[in-house]
Amino acid sequence: MRKVLAALLASAMVFSLAACGGGDKKETEAATEAPATEAPATEAATEAAGDTEAATEAATEAAGDTQAAPAANGEGLKIGVCIYKFDDNFMTLYRQELQKYLEETYGAEVTIVDGKGDQAEQTNQIDNFISQGVDVLILNLVQASATETVAKTCADAGIPAVFINREPDAAELERWESEGVAATYVGADARQSGTFQGEIILDTANKGDINGDGKVSYIMLIGDPENVDAQYRTEFSVKALTDAGVEVEELFAQRGDWDQAKGQELTANALAQFGDQVEVVFANNDAMALGAIEAIEAEQRKMNEDIYLVGVDALDEATAAIKEGRMTGTVLNDHIGQSHTAADVAIKMANGEKVDTKYTVDYVKVTE
């Protein structure tokens, strides 16, 4: 199992050096068909989520000479990090690993601030970092729509910016390339995560059609409709079913803001309204999926017998729920690979090195 874990995380941490599209059909099929992403993934992801230090050590050992050494010395570099809100489960894991890696690997001075879900508050924080003369900014924006404005502010101040987790639109990425803007995006292609959610349902015995009426009736818990990750996960989870020739029926789709309590509330409302018609619950992230579990169990529905539930992130609690038969599956959103990549690229930029406009890390399906 240690070898499986090492191979899995090593492959996730060695990032692409070109602007890749994880949603590309060939790449998605390759990720789907690779043996390392199938049955062993649950145990590997669970160990990774539960023991970050061991997972990082195993991945580094497995990568060996393949994984690039730190790009440049970061000793004394001042790095400002803006997180959209600290109480997000996934971004908590991300920021903790990011700070640890930057400080221990590079010796950088790292300051991380909480945007509290308020773009105006975060904009002030960015302005403060600029006035303090930080060497580079790592930005998890509250609103992805603010990317262009923030990128221009950073460029005018001569401070390179690494945008993480929330992907800017294609036009903005193209602008960075054509205008030589010192900005880049590091994340994962959310189309792939949505596709993997749909494929997990397709891999069930009845392809999600529990009642045998010839269609899959589902509810969708949407993180934030403005966020491209939420948009892609919502679209491509269902697209995976329809591309496979499965008829679908959307019963309910509402915004849950990535929040566990809202996930519970929305699922409870949907089950009260549609009852046994609900065969599949798609959640844009694991926090909302964990809330959905509470609502499903309150209605005494039997997971994987009369209802299915999938999320994204492979949080510790979610992988445990999968092992216990209380959740159908999730998709590993590799916070270690992404945070290390973001740190490596930030150090390069702070030292004046040229980087690409986009780096992505693959998702991995996690099932029992």
Side-chain angles (χ1 to χ4, degrees):
M1 177 50 60
R2 178 66 69 180
K3 291 181 180 179
V4 172
L5 171 60
L8 172 65
L9 289 176
S11 65
M13 288 172 63
V14 180
F15 59 85
S16 167
L17 293 180
C20 78
D24 179 82
K25 190 173 190 295
K26 291 183 179 179
E27 291 185 19
T28 302
E29 289 176 353
T32 304
E33 293 170 5
T37 65
E38 293 300 328
T42 300
E43 292 182 38
T46 304
E47 286 187 45
D51 190 352
T52 301
E53 291 186 5
T56 304
E57 180 182 352
T60 303
E61 178 183 346
D65 294 335
T66 304
Q67 187 172 346
N73 183 18
E75 191 74 37
L77 288 178
K78 295 181 179 180
I79 301 178
V81 181
C82 294
I83 301 298
Y84 92 102
K85 66 176 183 177
F86 276 10
D87 61 359
D88 179 283
N89 307 59
F90 176 75
M91 289 311 301
T92 295
L93 295 173
Y94 192 120
R95 65 181 166 86
Q96 290 173 345
E97 183 63 27
L98 178 66
Q99 181 165 13
K100 177 183 175 183
Y101 183 72
L102 280 168
E103 291 176 346
E104 294 184 359
T105 303
Y106 291 106
E109 298 178 16
V110 183
T111 303
I112 304 181
V113 294
D114 181 3
K116 301 176 182 179
D118 184 335
Q119 186 58 59
E121 169 77 12
Q122 189 177 68
T123 299
N124 288 334
Q125 293 169 345
I126 293 169
D127 290 340
N128 287 337
F129 275 135
I130 290 173
S131 66
Q132 293 166 17
V134 296
D135 296 293
V136 62
L137 284 167
I138 299 177
L139 305 170
N140 168 222
L141 296 184
V142 174
Q143 297 176 352
S145 59
T147 303
E148 182 178 358
T149 299
V150 172
K152 288 180 177 178
T153 298
C154 293
D156 289 344
I159 296 176
V162 179
F163 292 86
I164 60 172
N165 186 248
R166 299 185 167 188
E167 184 175 354
D169 61 36
E172 180 63 4
L173 293 174
E174 290 171 5
R175 186 182 73 82
W176 297 348
E177 180 70 27
S178 63
E179 297 180 11
V181 178
T184 189
Y185 169 70
V186 176
D189 192 319
R191 290 169 291 191
Q192 187 185 53
S193 62
T195 298
F196 282 0
Q197 283 189 306
E199 289 177 352
I200 289 171
I201 299 302
L202 289 172
D203 287 339
T204 62
N206 44 30
K207 299 184 185 299
D209 183 14
I210 293 172
N211 60 23
D213 65 353
K215 61 186 176 184
V216 174
S217 300
Y218 69 90
I219 70 172
M220 183 70 68
L221 307 180
I222 303 169
D224 174 358
E226 183 189 290
N227 186 300
V228 70
D229 283 10
Q231 295 167 13
Y232 282 153
R233 289 171 187 172
T234 298
E235 175 186 356
F236 281 82
S237 57
V238 176
K239 186 176 185 295
L241 299 181
T242 57
D243 284 352
V246 175
E247 183 180 346
V248 299
E249 177 187 26
E250 180 183 277
L251 299 174
F252 180 100
Q254 287 196 23
R255 174 176 181 160
D257 289 321
W258 314 108
D259 183 76
Q260 182 168 335
K262 290 185 178 179
Q264 187 276 335
E265 178 184 355
L266 293 177
T267 304
N269 291 343
L271 292 176
Q273 184 176 355
F274 297 101
D276 292 343
Q277 288 179 259
V278 180
E279 296 171 298
V280 175
V281 179
F282 287 109
N284 281 175
N285 74 338
D286 279 349
M288 293 189 296
L290 292 170
I293 291 175
E294 299 176 45
I296 289 167
E297 292 180 342
E299 291 296 319
Q300 299 184 335
R301 298 289 292 271
K302 296 180 180 179
M303 188 63 63
N304 300 326
E305 292 184 27
D306 62 23
I307 195 166
Y308 295 119
L309 167 65
V310 288
V312 175
D313 284 337
L315 295 178
D316 221 5
E317 301 91 332
T319 55
I322 293 169
K323 293 180 71 174
E324 295 164 359
R326 300 170 62 231
M327 185 170 168
T328 307
T330 185
V331 182
L332 173 65
N333 193 4
D334 179 18
H335 70 279
I336 297 176
Q338 291 181 56
S339 61
H340 289 197
T341 299
D344 292 340
V345 173
I347 295 297
K348 285 184 177 182
M349 297 176 79
N351 282 283
E353 296 186 42
K354 182 174 174 56
V355 300
D356 294 325
T357 56
K358 182 178 178 180
Y359 296 85
T360 58
V361 176
D362 276 339
Y363 287 97
V364 180
K365 285 190 285 187
V366 180
T367 65
E368 186 177 11

